[in-house]
Amino acid sequence: MTKTLRLIIVASVVLLAACGKSQPAADAKPVNPARELASADVLTACVAPVADSLPFTGTLSALSSSVLASQIDGTVSEVKVREGERVKAGQVLATIDSEELRQSVAEQSARLSNNESQLRLAKIKLNQQRELAGKGFISKTALDEAESAYVVKAGELEAQRSQLARARKQLSYTVVHAPITGVVYERKINPGEQIVKNARLFAVADLSVLEIAATLPSRQISQVKTGLPARFSVEGLSERFKGQLVRINPVASVSTRSFTVYVRVENKDGVLKGGQFVKGALVLKEVSDHVALPLAAINDRSGKPWVMVVKNGKLEKRPVTLLLTSESERQAAVTGVSAGETVLSAALLGMKPGDAVMLPRAG
């Protein structure tokens, strides 16, 4: 074999070997890369309360409140409180000057003293007439006249006492007292003003206990009963508050065919204010010791519900049992998923059980 022929053979072998390395195996399968999930795609299962509830809206109002009106005509001499100040029952709020009433009390007192004197005199005369009648010195008619005169004077005295009591009662109206313990939320008078009878003076409310008057449609009223718990939020406050259904109006509104229910709210710390708008719900049933998931994470809720769980870097189809579904809260209490497991928050297009995934990177 010549040297040239050997070089041709070696070159051919090298070329064939190179061609063989560049060709892929006929039976090799392409590898799908793991899909990286976004933070919005997953959630960590946790135990949380889920409630089946009826939503409502309403306004907070004081359970106990009072509006004070003037009982007399007069001039305001002093006002001791302003809006927003706390007062106690019986505390003086204002005084009204009424000279006419003071004169009336003095006049009625004088008349009462005069009537008492006349009654004492009539009593003496009656005793004298009885003594004379017993000795036969006067007729029975004269005795009857004396007794009648005494009865008349006694009646006049009682009438005068009533008039004096009435005058003193009128005079007591010159001092305005707080009827309840609470907060002054309205003041309509100032010193020096002339007021007339029935003029509005103050409004006081006890805010330690509040009520919400909420309306429910007639189709829902059969589901509620007194004693049901309620939860609500107030505009401007992040805290959730609790109440209890205490009354149900048994007669529906003629115009709306809805029923009014009343939710009692304890407010000892004074965080809530009268007139605030609230949004809440009456809790019909509640599950608080199981994992809660958003409804969007649960597939086939009307059939055999399941969720997609991320386990060992892959998606796993996990059957679950629905214990309680809350359409108003868009959540469900489930079994089949443990607290701490990672669940898809909603179905992802193109993703199926067994697909490799990567959890969102921290930060």
Side-chain angles (χ1 to χ4, degrees):
M1 182 180 297
T2 65
K3 182 177 180 180
T4 302
L5 181 59
R6 284 199 303 269
L7 291 175
I8 292 173
I9 293 173
V10 171
S12 299
V13 172
V14 173
L15 181 60
L16 289 174
C19 290
K21 289 182 179 181
S22 63
Q23 295 294 325
D27 56 350
K29 295 182 179 179
V31 178
N32 292 329
R35 175 173 172 177
E36 184 175 356
L37 301 175
S39 58
D41 296 333
V42 294
L43 59 88
T44 301
C46 61
V47 175
V50 176
D52 182 17
S53 56
L54 297 177
F56 67 80
T57 59
T59 303
L60 287 167
S61 59
L63 179 63
S64 178
S65 62
S66 181
V67 175
L68 286 78
S70 176
Q71 302 295 311
I72 56 172
D73 301 336
T75 302
V76 179
S77 58
E78 186 179 16
V79 181
K80 295 179 175 292
V81 294
R82 296 182 178 276
E83 290 96 336
E85 292 185 5
R86 292 193 59 81
V87 294
K88 294 182 178 180
Q91 180 177 333
V92 176
L93 305 182
T95 56
I96 302 170
D97 184 25
S98 182
E99 182 63 28
E100 182 180 348
L101 291 178
R102 284 195 294 272
Q103 291 176 357
S104 176
V105 170
E107 180 182 345
Q108 298 301 332
S109 295
R111 288 181 179 179
L112 180 63
S113 297
N114 184 47
N115 283 22
E116 288 174 341
S117 298
Q118 291 181 5
L119 182 64
R120 284 194 298 269
L121 180 59
K123 179 66 174 178
I124 293 172
K125 289 182 178 180
L126 176 60
N127 290 336
Q128 290 174 345
Q129 292 296 79
R130 284 174 178 172
E131 184 177 348
L132 293 173
K135 295 179 180 181
F137 293 145
I138 63 172
S139 65
K140 186 178 184 304
T141 301
L143 178 60
D144 290 343
E145 289 177 353
E147 289 180 342
S148 177
Y150 177 79
V151 171
V152 170
K153 294 300 181 183
E156 290 176 350
L157 178 63
E158 290 302 315
Q160 187 57 44
R161 284 174 176 166
S162 297
Q163 291 180 16
L164 177 59
R166 190 178 302 112
R168 286 174 173 167
K169 182 70 173 177
Q170 290 292 106
L171 184 61
S172 71
Y173 292 146
T174 59
V175 181
V176 182
H177 298 272
I180 60 174
T181 297
V183 178
V184 177
Y185 69 90
E186 188 176 86
R187 166 183 150 169
K188 304 292 288 186
I189 56 172
N190 292 297
E193 291 181 348
Q194 292 285 335
I195 58 172
V196 296
K197 186 177 180 179
N198 296 324
R200 192 179 178 106
L201 305 179
F202 301 95
V204 182
D206 179 5
L207 300 180
S208 63
V209 181
L210 303 174
E211 267 194 352
I212 305 169
T215 56
L216 295 177
S218 57
R219 68 178 183 276
Q220 295 178 338
I221 198 64
S222 61
Q223 302 178 59
V224 301
K225 58 182 180 181
T226 57
L228 284 178
R231 296 196 188 95
F232 64 92
S233 59
V234 177
E235 203 170 321
L237 297 176
S238 58
E239 183 181 352
R240 292 277 290 179
F241 300 91
K242 296 180 180 180
Q244 186 178 51
L245 179 63
V246 293
R247 300 196 314 278
I248 302 173
N249 191 331
V251 179
S253 168
V254 176
S255 58
T256 63
R257 294 298 176 187
S258 59
F259 290 83
T260 303
V261 298
Y262 299 89
V263 176
R264 186 75 52 83
V265 181
E266 295 293 333
N267 187 40
K268 301 298 184 183
D269 55 4
V271 173
L272 299 172
K273 312 299 181 186
Q276 287 181 309
F277 181 75
V278 304
K279 290 183 179 180
L282 293 172
V283 181
L284 303 176
K285 185 179 179 183
E286 185 176 34
V287 174
S288 58
D289 55 355
H290 285 77
V291 167
L293 295 177
L295 295 184
I298 304 172
N299 302 278
D300 194 16
R301 283 194 288 138
S302 59
K304 296 181 179 180
W306 56 275
V307 298
M308 201 78 86
V309 177
V310 179
K311 188 172 183 180
N312 298 326
K314 292 184 179 182
L315 294 180
E316 176 186 297
K317 180 178 179 180
R318 181 79 60 81
V320 294
T321 300
L322 303 183
L323 300 177
L324 181 65
T325 300
S326 172
E327 295 294 340
S328 60
E329 296 180 354
R330 302 301 298 167
Q331 284 191 319
V334 304
T335 60
V337 176
S338 300
E341 289 192 290
T342 302
V343 180
L344 291 190
S345 58
L348 297 178
L349 185 64
M351 300 298 290
K352 61 185 182 300
D355 285 354
V357 293
M358 289 189 300
L359 294 177
R361 299 174 183 175

